[in-house]
Amino acid sequence: MSRLVLLLFALSFSVHAATEADVIVYGATPGGFCAAIAAAREGASVILLEPTAHVGGVNTGGLCFSDSNQTVRSTVLGLFEEWHARVEKDYQMRSVALPYHVSEKDHKPWTYEPHVAAKITQQMLDEAGVKVLTKRVLQTVAKQGTQITQVTTSDGDFSARVFVDGTYEGDLMAAAGVSWTIGREARKEFSEPLAGKQYPKAKLPISGLDASGKPLPLITTTDAGADEAGDKNVMVYSFRLCVTKDAANRVPFPLPANYDPARFEVLRRYYEQEKNPHLLWDLYPLPGNKFDANNGIGKQFSMGLVGACNGWSEAGESTRAQIWEAHKQYTLELHHFLSTDPAVPEDLRKQMAELGLCRDEFADYGHWSPQLYVREGRRMIGEYVISQKDIMDSPAKEDPIIVSSFPIDSHDCQRVGTQEMVVDEGTIMPVRMAGRRHGYPYHIPYRAILPKAAECSNLLVPVALSCTHVGISSIRVEPTWMILGQSAGIAASLSAKKSISVQKLPYSALRERLLAQKQVLDLPVLPPEPKGVMNVDPKTLPGIVLDDTQAELKGHWSHSSGFKPHIGTGYLHDDKRADGLSVAIFRCKVPKTGRYELRMAYSPHATRATKVPVTVECAGRTTDVTVDQTQPLPAGEAFRKIGTTQLDAGAEIILTIRNSGTDGFVILDALQLIEAH
C-alpha cells in the first residue's frame, strides 16, 4: 500500500513539476523567435512560449515590406539575412520572380507574402530544435533573490537557467519586477530635441468640435500639453493587412457591426477642404498580386486608431482583447466609410472598394491579420538607456551587439482638435543622414538589453529594451529587433552554459559567438555619395535655381539620371507612390520685390504624373500650382514655366512639392525663379 501511495505521489509530482530548459523565451515576435533559434544553435535546450496562437508577430502577421531598405544593408546580416534569403529561395523554387535579390545590398524593398513568412519561420524553428508552445499566457513569476526560477502560465509551469523577454510589451520583464517606463520623455530629461511634442504636419483649417463644443470622434484631446513636456502616450497601433484586387483571390471586407457614419465627421470636414485628396492607406505591392496595407506616417488620417493603444501594454489578456477588437472595428468602419460615403471623392471610393482580403492568407482568422502592430510598448530602465545622442552624436559603444541604422521616426501619438483646427501630434518624420536613404548608423550596447543587476540577473530584454521614446523610434523595426533577438539568444545560451549572471558574461566571449553567427559589430565606413556626370550645370542658368540636392526631403525619393535633360547630376522620383509622404521643401530669398516666373525642370514622359502639386509661400501669401509632367518642355530648354507669383525681398520663400493624389511618377529635378518683365 505504501508503495502505491509513493507511486501516486510521484506521478502527481511529475504532472505538476515545471517543464525545464536551458533557455526560455517568452513571446514569439521576430525578436523572440530569433532569440530562440540563436540560443538553440549555440547548443542550448530552448522552449519558446507564446501567449497567443500566432507565431512570428508582425513578420508573419501582415507586415510584408522589410524596412531594411532604409538601413545600411551591409550591417543587417545574421538570422535576418538568412530568413530573407530563405524566403527568396522559396519563391525561386516555385519559379516566382521577385523584384530584388537578397545578395544585393541596395535599397529595393524586400517583399513577401504572410504565408511564406510563416512557413520559413516555422522551418527555422523546427530545424533548430526549438520547442514552440502557444496559448501560454504569463500569470506569475517566481524569483529567488535576483534569479527568475519559474514562470507560471495559463497552461503549465516552466523553469530555466536564463530567460528572454521577446514580447513587444515587456510582459515578462514587468512581471519579474524590472523597472520600466512607457510614453515619452520631456526634452530636458535626456537633452533630446526630438522629445516632447512634435508637429511636423500642417494644421487643418477645420473645426475639431461638434455643435455643443465637444471633441468630434477620432479627436483625442483639445490640449496636447506643453511642447517640451513628456507624457504617457505611445505611437499609434494599426493592423498590417494583406489585401488584393485580384477577383480570384479576393474576399470582400466584412461589413462592420454597428457602423456609425457620424464617427467620421472629422474626415468629411477634411475632404471638404482638401485640395489634393489621396488614398488614406499606404499600399505596398507584394508578390501574388497583393498589397501590404499600412498606416501612413505622413497622413492626417489613416489606418491607425490614434490614442486607442494607450494602456495596451499594462493591460491583462481580456482588456487587450477588447483593445484589439476596437482596432479591428475601426479599420472595418474606416474601409466602409472610404468605399461608400459620398464625402469621399469618387475615384478614391472606387479604389478602396476594389480592395479585399486574401483568400489564401490567415484562413484560421477569417483572412484578417491575427497580429496588432504594436509599434511601442513598455521600455526597460536597464543598465544603459539609449537616447537621441547615442544615435546621432555618439554612436560607438564598447560592447556592441548590433549596428542599427533605421531613421528615427514615430507615428502619431495624439490628434488635437479645437474650434479653429485639427492636427496630429507626435509624428517624427524620418530623420536620415543628409543625402542618404538610411538613418544614422550606431551601436546598440549589450548593456541596453540587461536589467539592472540588483533587479534581475538571468533575464535579457531585446525587444522592450532600455531606451527613450526617441530611441525606440529608430530601434522599433524588424531588422533591428531580429538581430537584437539573435544577440540575446546567444548571450542567454552562453550565460546558461557558464552558470553566470547575464550581467557578468564576458563581452569578449559574447563578441566571439556573435561574429560566428554572422553578426556585424563594426560601424560602417560609408563611401561618399556618388557624383554623376553633370548634364545641365545649374551655375550656368539665370535667376535662382533650386536643384534637388538642395531640397529638404521627407518620405521616399529614389535617385536617377536615366532621362535627359536633367539639372546637375540627376533627379529624384517618388516611385509612383502617390501616398502623400514624399515631400520636398526648398527655401530661398529673392533680391528684389516683384512678380517672378516659377519654372520647373523635369524629364517629360507618358509615365509622369499629370497633377503634381506645388505650393509657394511668401510673407503670409500662398500660391498653389498643379503641374502636368507629361507635357513636353519648350524646344531646347530644360525648364517649363508653370506659373507666376509675387515675392518680397528679404522674406523667406518656401516652395513645396508633394506626391499627394498624383497619378504617375513625380519627378523632382529643379525649380527656377526668374523676375517677370
Side-chain angles (χ1 to χ4, degrees):
M1 188 69 172
S2 60
R3 289 183 179 179
L4 179 60
V5 171
L6 289 172
L7 178 61
L8 291 173
F9 177 79
L11 289 172
S12 173
F13 180 79
S14 66
V15 168
H16 295 287
T19 304
E20 297 182 358
D22 295 328
V23 175
I24 286 178
V25 180
Y26 184 71
T29 65
F33 75 69
C34 283
I37 293 168
R41 288 185 178 182
E42 289 293 308
S45 58
V46 182
I47 297 174
L48 176 59
L49 303 174
E50 166 57 35
T52 72
H54 176 70
V55 173
V58 290
N59 257 35
T60 58
L63 185 150
C64 305
F65 171 43
S66 172
D67 284 309
S68 65
N69 66 306
Q70 297 188 67
T71 68
V72 181
R73 270 207 168 123
S74 61
T75 67
V76 284
L77 304 183
L79 286 178
F80 177 80
E81 181 190 45
E82 179 184 340
W83 188 89
H84 278 278
R86 292 174 70 141
V87 166
E88 181 183 21
K89 184 177 179 180
D90 183 87
Y91 280 104
Q92 288 174 343
M93 291 177 66
R94 293 182 283 118
S95 300
V96 177
L98 294 175
Y100 63 87
H101 295 289
V102 173
S103 60
E104 297 175 1
K105 305 307 180 185
D106 53 21
H107 292 280
K108 292 178 182 176
W110 292 354
T111 56
Y112 44 85
E113 297 163 273
H115 71 272
V116 176
K119 178 171 68 173
I120 297 304
T121 301
Q122 193 61 54
Q123 284 177 355
M124 293 177 70
L125 287 165
D126 290 344
E127 290 170 11
V130 176
K131 186 176 183 179
V132 181
L133 300 175
T134 59
K135 300 182 181 179
R136 263 66 173 189
V137 180
L138 181 65
Q139 295 181 338
T140 60
V141 173
K143 290 176 71 179
Q144 192 172 63
T146 61
Q147 291 267 325
I148 300 173
T149 56
Q150 182 174 292
V151 295
T152 296
T153 74
S154 55
D155 187 5
D157 300 334
F158 301 88
S159 63
R161 295 181 180 182
V162 180
F163 294 79
V164 177
D165 187 341
T167 64
Y168 292 119
E169 300 86 1
D171 288 340
L172 178 55
M173 166 193 74
V178 173
S179 298
W180 56 273
T181 186
I182 199 163
R184 302 184 286 177
E185 289 80 9
R187 287 178 191 164
K188 66 179 182 181
E189 191 170 348
F190 288 87
S191 299
E192 296 176 301
L194 293 173
K197 309 302 187 294
Q198 299 291 322
Y199 295 94
K201 301 178 186 178
K203 295 178 181 179
L204 297 175
I206 59 175
S207 173
L209 309 181
D210 63 16
S212 63
K214 295 180 179 179
L216 292 170
L218 306 183
I219 300 295
T220 65
T221 184
T222 58
D223 182 4
D227 285 359
E228 68 279 3
D231 56 34
K232 295 301 180 184
N233 293 313
V234 297
M235 70 177 87
V236 66
Y237 298 176
S238 64
F239 288 100
R240 296 290 291 259
L241 295 181
C242 190
V243 297
T244 186
K245 299 179 181 180
D246 185 352
N249 195 34
R250 180 182 178 277
V251 176
F253 270 79
L255 291 175
N258 304 314
Y259 172 67
D260 182 5
R263 186 178 194 184
F264 298 99
E265 174 58 27
V266 69
L267 267 79
R268 292 189 183 87
R269 298 180 185 184
Y270 160 75
Y271 277 120
E272 284 178 3
Q273 59 81 48
E274 178 57 44
K275 296 178 181 178
N276 297 293
H278 53 266
L279 208 63
L280 296 187
W281 293 8
D282 281 2
L283 297 174
Y284 310 136
L286 304 177
N289 294 320
K290 300 172 185 177
F291 298 92
D292 173 352
N294 186 23
N295 183 67
I297 189 172
K299 298 174 180 178
Q300 296 279 9
F301 304 97
S302 193
M303 292 182 73
L305 182 52
V306 179
C309 56
N310 293 328
W312 166 275
S313 290
E314 306 95 314
E317 183 182 14
S318 61
T319 303
R320 284 187 186 173
Q322 294 172 11
I323 296 173
W324 191 97
E325 287 293 342
H327 281 78
K328 181 178 180 180
Q329 174 70 12
Y330 164 77
T331 311
L332 288 173
E333 287 192 48
L334 178 63
H335 178 268
H336 189 68
F337 170 80
L338 293 175
S339 56
T340 64
D341 199 286
V344 181
E346 184 178 2
D347 62 320
L348 299 183
R349 292 202 307 270
K350 181 180 178 181
Q351 290 182 60
M352 288 301 296
E354 289 175 342
L355 296 174
L357 303 176
C358 297
R359 192 179 307 279
D360 60 350
E361 301 289 356
F362 309 125
D364 293 341
Y365 301 92
H367 311 291
W368 191 270
S369 170
Q371 177 67 56
L372 186 62
Y373 192 178
V374 179
R375 291 183 170 89
E376 177 183 19
R378 296 183 183 96
R379 302 188 306 280
M380 178 172 65
I381 303 174
E383 292 280 345
Y384 189 90
V385 180
I386 300 168
S387 67
Q388 183 177 340
K389 73 175 186 301
D390 296 293
I391 298 172
M392 300 182 67
D393 302 323
S394 305
K397 298 293 180 288
E398 62 187 17
D399 55 342
I401 56 173
I402 175 180
V403 174
S404 181
S405 58
F406 184 74
I408 300 172
D409 83 26
S410 172
H411 287 244
D412 305 327
C413 296
Q414 301 182 89
R415 181 171 291 128
V416 187
T418 68
Q419 187 65 46
E420 293 76 28
M421 64 85 190
V422 170
V423 67
D424 289 349
E425 187 279 316
T427 310
I428 302 174
M429 298 302 291
V431 179
R432 299 182 174 89
M433 293 190 75
R436 299 184 185 270
R437 304 182 196 179
H438 54 74
Y440 289 78
Y442 60 97
H443 283 146
I444 294 179
Y446 179 51
R447 290 163 289 161
I449 67 170
L450 295 176
K452 293 177 180 177
E455 294 182 343
C456 195
S457 56
N458 66 336
L459 174 67
L460 294 153
V461 186
V463 180
L465 73 164
S466 181
C467 62
T468 65
H469 167 76
V470 176
I472 201 67
S473 295
S474 169
I475 294 167
R476 63 171 191 85
V477 289
E478 280 53 50
T480 308
W481 272 335
M482 290 175 76
I483 300 172
L484 280 170
Q486 181 178 3
S487 299
I490 294 170
S493 178
L494 290 175
S495 297
K497 285 179 184 178
K498 295 176 180 293
S499 297
I500 58 175
S501 74
V502 293
Q503 289 86 0
K504 292 183 178 180
L505 176 66
Y507 175 70
S508 58
L510 175 58
R511 181 182 178 88
E512 179 184 348
R513 296 311 306 158
L514 294 174
L515 293 173
Q517 283 208 27
K518 299 183 179 180
Q519 299 279 46
V520 175
L521 301 178
D522 293 332
L523 291 173
V525 178
L526 298 174
E529 284 294 294
K531 301 296 183 182
V533 177
M534 190 77 69
N535 182 231
V536 177
D537 188 345
K539 294 179 182 178
T540 65
L541 300 171
I544 297 172
V545 177
L546 303 169
D547 188 40
D548 62 275
T549 57
Q550 299 170 258
E552 174 187 336
L553 301 176
K554 297 180 180 180
H556 176 91
W557 292 98
S558 294
H559 182 271
S560 181
S561 58
F563 285 85
K564 293 180 175 59
H566 59 70
I567 306 302
T569 60
Y571 55 91
L572 303 176
H573 62 83
D574 73 333
D575 276 320
K576 202 177 178 180
R577 288 171 175 255
D579 55 10
L581 301 182
S582 299
V583 181
I585 301 171
F586 297 93
R587 303 176 191 273
C588 69
K589 293 182 179 180
V590 293
K592 294 173 58 178
T593 297
R595 299 289 295 176
Y596 283 78
E597 287 187 4
L598 175 60
R599 301 181 179 186
M600 177 180 279
Y602 60 88
S603 48
H605 192 267
T607 61
R608 304 317 192 209
T610 62
K611 299 177 181 179
V612 178
V614 181
T615 302
V616 183
E617 300 172 75
C618 179
R621 300 184 303 274
T622 299
T623 302
D624 292 311
V625 179
T626 300
V627 183
D628 183 352
Q629 293 188 335
T630 68
Q631 293 298 306
L633 303 175
E637 297 192 24
F639 287 85
R640 180 167 74 85
K641 178 182 174 182
I642 61 173
T644 59
T645 183
Q646 178 71 24
L647 301 176
D648 295 355
E652 183 180 50
I653 302 159
I654 302 174
L655 303 97
T656 305
I657 299 174
R658 303 177 184 272
N659 71 339
S660 303
T662 49
D663 55 358
F665 287 94
V666 173
I667 304 302
L668 178 64
D669 190 359
L671 294 173
Q672 184 182 38
L673 291 169
I674 293 183
E675 191 174 358
H677 297 290

